[in-house]
Amino acid sequence: MSATEPRPLKVLTPENRQRLSAFNAVARMLQGMDMRLLKLDVMANTLTLQPHDGKRLLRQNMVLGFQRQPSAGSTYYSGQVDGVTVEWREPISHTRPEEYSRPHTTIQ
C-alpha cells in the first residue's frame, strides 16, 4: 500500500467493543437508579459520582474492592461496579462518618 491509498481503520477492536459495552451498561444502570454521573471517562473506564450516590451504592452492596483514601481536604472513595471503576470525593466539611467524630471536651 502506498501512503495515498485509503487504509481500513480498525478503531473498535472486539476487546474495546466489549469494554465499551460494559461501560455503557453500567452508566445506563446508574442513571436508571437516578444517580447523577458527574464525569464519564471511557479511556480510564471510570465514572465519577456525587457522594450521596456513592454511599447509596455501598449500602446496596454493589461496590467491589472498595477503598477509602483520606487526605488534607477531602476523602477519595473508589470501587468497581461490574468491572467499571466508580469514584467520588467527599470534602472534610461534609457530614463525617462516625469514626471521625469525637465528643467535645472542655479544658478546666
Side-chain angles (χ1 to χ4, degrees):
M1 275 190 187
S2 71
T4 58
E5 291 179 30
R7 295 183 200 166
L9 296 176
K10 281 194 168 185
V11 177
L12 200 57
T13 64
E15 180 183 297
N16 288 341
R17 185 177 324 147
Q18 183 179 10
R19 185 173 167 207
L20 182 61
S21 176
F23 182 86
N24 286 338
V26 171
R28 286 185 185 123
M29 177 188 67
L30 295 177
Q31 287 176 325
M33 297 171 65
D34 292 327
M35 293 190 184
R36 184 170 177 215
L37 305 178
L38 301 177
K39 181 179 175 185
L40 290 85
D41 189 348
V42 176
M43 297 304 289
N45 201 33
T46 302
L47 297 168
T48 304
L49 308 171
Q50 294 183 13
H52 63 274
D53 290 334
K55 287 183 176 186
R56 194 167 92 189
L57 284 177
L58 286 175
R59 283 193 304 272
Q60 295 174 352
N61 293 323
M62 294 181 69
V63 179
L64 299 175
F66 175 71
Q67 294 181 1
R68 186 184 82 186
Q69 299 170 347
S71 67
S74 64
T75 303
Y76 170 79
Y77 300 90
S78 66
Q80 297 256 324
V81 174
D82 293 337
V84 176
T85 301
V86 292
E87 63 183 20
W88 63 95
R89 289 190 182 276
E90 206 171 81
I92 288 183
S93 61
H94 196 272
T95 305
R96 295 180 181 175
E98 294 281 330
E99 64 207 52
Y100 288 149
S101 62
R102 294 188 178 128
H104 296 284
T105 57
T106 318
I107 299 175
Q108 297 178 4

